[in-house]
Amino acid sequence: MASTCSGCGPGYKTPLDAMKGPREEIVYLPCIYRNTDIQKPDYLATVDVNPKSANFCKVIHRLPMPNLKDELHHSGWNACSSCYDDPSKRRNRLILPSLISSRIYVVDVGTDSRAPRLHKIVEPIDLFWKCGLANPHTSHCLGSGQIMISAMGDPSGNGKGGFVLLDGETFEVIGNWEQPGEAAPFGYDFWYQPRHNVMISTEWGAPKALGNGFNPADVKAGHYGQHLHVWDWTTHKRIQTLDLGEEGAIPLEIRFLHDPAAAEGFVGCALQSTVFRFYKTPKGDWAAEKVIQIPSKKVEGWALPEMPGLITDILLSLDDRFLYFSNWLHGDIRQYDITDRRHPRMVGQVFLGGSILKDGPVKVLEDKELESQPAPRIVKGKRVRGGPQMIQLSLDGKRLYVTTSLYSAWDKQFYPDLVKEGSVMMQIDVDTDKGGLKLNENFLVDFGAEPEGPVLAHEIRYPGGDCTSDIWL
């Protein structure tokens, strides 16, 4: 699935070259049993997404982990397009951190991409003792050949935004990336841009506050973040902190533009459902401005009198033309034209479940966007539970895949039927000319029908890389 040019490393030379890459045929998804009634280990599912295949929309392989209650979450690579100039590198190991157990699984996807196997386990004690960190989240490969993983906490469950370095060959823990004493108060996601000597990281919250669900009082108590942290890529020091204010509470996924010369990008902020643009100023420091605001809806029959959209995942097309994000509670995915970076323009929207369905328990009293509550979504006879959450775009930008599970403890709290019936993966057809989103009614992967019982499938990865795992230098 990697680039076929001779004498080069993994991935593609440029983001535009990646758009010409082969169509995805299989995808990998972590599947989670934590917080369900099923006492089975989480596993990595391989799903056939080739419409010409006899196994189209089927799970063709499952790799169970050897432990219970890991909470597999996001994944990354041992090598990606940042190693393109190194012919000795291969994208053949999937790095699979566990958000709750703090284990890191290294999965061999190179020997047989359709039947991954376990290669190595990095035990939590290595993160605790060597780095003073826990709750690993985002994994990115570096041009140096090392692997860097953001952490959300310390071994006691307090917030701590540091970074673990793994050796790219042995996968042993090297130590911290950040300098001593430089860790941020909270951690979550990160993206680096070496041409501007910068990395920027985001904040979710303290692991012990969010471990078993969401309590709004924890936000007021300061257990959730609202800052972006700017790091000097060369010295590994935190050089600036951007306070996004209440409007920017819980900034989650962060995406620089794919163009490696660009000095700007976007971050989705969950709690107030905003998108901020961050950018390098003429002075050389960094700033952020709100560019999208999703209005909350006044409701009754829900936990609070106002329901936010809850922006949870966000991504950019490889040509940096479109921005996509999911509103997990309202139930929609949106597409924005970002040709004018400061003024994104919505050009596509599709509802896929959510908490405001017309046949559900929630009544919308005031809505600044919709004239009526959306209808439930039924695909191939299966009612979609939960709301659209993790998204992944095909390299050519024409297909958007979506799953419905956010994080097992929050799934159980906000969408108990999702935990009982399992999540789904859907596919949306994208108009890349004028913009527009349309659900593919012939595509559904039903994780409620798994052999060991309904499971919560989360992030989507392609073997050959994708727009949320590859960084260009």
Side-chain angles (χ1 to χ4, degrees):
M1 295 291 288
S3 175
T4 55
C5 75
S6 60
C8 64
Y12 301 89
K13 187 176 182 179
T14 70
L16 297 182
D17 286 342
M19 292 190 77
K20 301 170 187 171
R23 178 180 171 133
E24 65 284 355
E25 296 184 3
I26 58 173
V27 298
Y28 302 126
L29 302 95
C31 294
I32 293 90
Y33 275 124
R34 180 176 172 263
N35 276 311
T36 73
D37 293 331
I38 298 169
Q39 295 298 312
K40 295 286 184 180
D42 299 348
Y43 60 92
L44 183 70
T46 307
V47 175
D48 191 321
V49 294
N50 181 357
K52 297 178 181 177
S53 169
N55 291 316
F56 181 53
C57 286
K58 292 181 181 177
V59 179
I60 59 173
H61 187 266
R62 299 168 186 88
L63 175 66
M65 301 300 124
N67 301 285
L68 295 175
K69 303 184 188 297
D70 279 317
E71 188 90 35
L72 301 180
H73 198 62
H74 288 202
S75 60
W77 296 107
N78 64 318
C80 72
S81 293
S82 66
C83 300
Y84 178 80
D85 290 332
D86 187 345
S88 71
K89 301 296 182 188
R90 289 181 60 218
R91 192 197 308 257
N92 59 0
R93 300 287 187 265
L94 188 67
I95 313 301
L96 198 50
S98 304
L99 193 62
I100 296 301
S101 73
S102 297
R103 286 185 188 90
I104 299 170
Y105 295 102
V106 181
V107 177
D108 174 2
V109 297
T111 304
D112 184 350
S113 63
R114 302 178 78 85
R117 59 191 73 177
L118 197 56
H119 176 72
K120 183 183 176 73
I121 304 174
V122 179
E123 293 292 350
I125 199 166
D126 286 340
L127 274 65
F128 298 170
W129 285 7
K130 293 182 180 179
C131 302
L133 294 171
N135 310 101
H137 186 268
T138 297
S139 175
H140 278 303
C141 82
L142 309 183
S144 65
Q146 294 176 331
I147 296 154
M148 184 164 152
I149 305 172
S150 59
M152 288 177 51
D154 67 14
S156 299
N158 304 301
K160 186 179 182 182
F163 304 88
V164 176
L165 279 179
L166 298 186
D167 184 282
E169 300 294 332
T170 66
F171 305 103
E172 293 290 325
V173 175
I174 298 170
N176 298 68
W177 176 86
E178 77 280 4
Q179 294 286 355
E182 293 286 330
F186 302 105
Y188 185 70
D189 195 22
F190 72 101
W191 198 283
Y192 62 88
Q193 204 79 315
R195 293 194 194 181
H196 296 280
N197 191 38
V198 71
M199 179 183 82
I200 301 183
S201 64
T202 64
E203 301 184 328
W204 186 2
K208 63 184 179 184
L210 57 87
N212 293 310
F214 177 71
N215 184 345
D218 286 333
V219 178
K220 294 181 180 178
H223 298 314
Y224 284 88
Q226 60 181 44
H227 298 89
L228 301 183
H229 299 284
V230 182
W231 304 77
D232 185 297
W233 187 239
T234 305
T235 66
H236 305 184
K237 290 185 176 181
R238 188 154 54 105
I239 55 174
Q240 194 180 350
T241 295
L242 303 177
D243 187 349
L244 303 181
E246 289 187 11
E247 287 187 320
I250 312 183
L252 295 179
E253 308 296 335
I254 187 164
R255 315 292 184 204
F256 263 98
L257 297 184
H258 293 289
D259 175 0
E264 62 182 322
F266 298 88
V267 59
C269 303
L271 199 58
Q272 299 290 341
S273 308
T274 56
V275 175
F276 277 73
R277 168 184 171 258
F278 59 89
Y279 59 95
K280 192 175 187 178
T281 73
K283 291 193 304 179
D285 62 354
W286 293 79
E289 61 179 351
K290 185 181 73 171
V291 292
I292 299 173
Q293 171 80 63
I294 307 302
S296 294
K297 302 179 190 297
K298 289 188 178 179
V299 296
E300 64 180 19
W302 195 65
L304 299 169
E306 292 201 5
M307 182 190 293
L310 208 76
I311 295 175
T312 48
D313 198 14
I314 180 172
L315 59 76
L316 304 178
S317 59
L318 284 167
D319 58 5
D320 292 331
R321 187 183 161 201
F322 293 113
L323 177 152
Y324 301 84
F325 63 76
S326 52
N327 282 309
W328 190 58
L329 290 177
H330 288 177
D332 61 315
I333 289 179
R334 303 188 183 207
Q335 176 192 26
Y336 286 76
D337 185 318
I338 54 168
T339 308
D340 181 345
R341 312 292 188 205
R342 299 191 67 185
H343 301 97
R345 181 172 56 90
M346 190 167 81
V347 292
Q349 182 180 31
V350 61
F351 278 85
L352 305 167
S355 294
I356 56 166
L357 301 175
K358 61 174 58 177
D359 67 347
V362 176
K363 181 179 180 181
V364 178
L365 305 177
E366 183 180 315
D367 195 324
K368 295 178 181 177
E369 294 186 313
L370 302 178
E371 294 183 359
S372 62
Q373 295 179 228
R377 181 69 77 168
I378 299 171
V379 189
K380 299 183 77 170
K382 167 92 173 183
R383 180 177 174 133
V384 176
R385 302 293 185 181
Q389 210 288 104
M390 293 307 296
I391 51 178
Q392 189 57 265
L393 191 65
S394 60
L395 296 179
D396 62 9
K398 296 185 181 298
R399 293 167 301 285
L400 188 71
Y401 295 92
V402 54
T403 55
T404 48
S405 165
L406 169 59
Y407 159 61
S408 67
W410 289 22
D411 292 349
K412 188 175 182 178
Q413 181 177 359
F414 292 101
Y415 291 115
D417 287 342
L418 169 65
V419 176
K420 293 175 187 172
E421 298 182 26
S423 63
V424 297
M425 180 166 77
M426 297 168 281
Q427 181 193 296
I428 297 165
D429 294 324
V430 179
D431 184 335
T432 56
D433 182 20
K434 298 178 182 177
L437 303 175
K438 184 180 180 183
L439 180 68
N440 180 348
E441 300 282 356
N442 296 313
F443 184 104
L444 183 80
V445 183
D446 181 5
F447 288 96
E450 283 293 89
E452 301 285 0
V455 73
L456 302 168
H458 192 61
E459 192 193 38
I460 303 152
R461 281 272 172 260
Y462 307 142
D466 47 61
C467 68
T468 57
S469 63
D470 274 39
I471 294 177
W472 281 265
L473 306 185

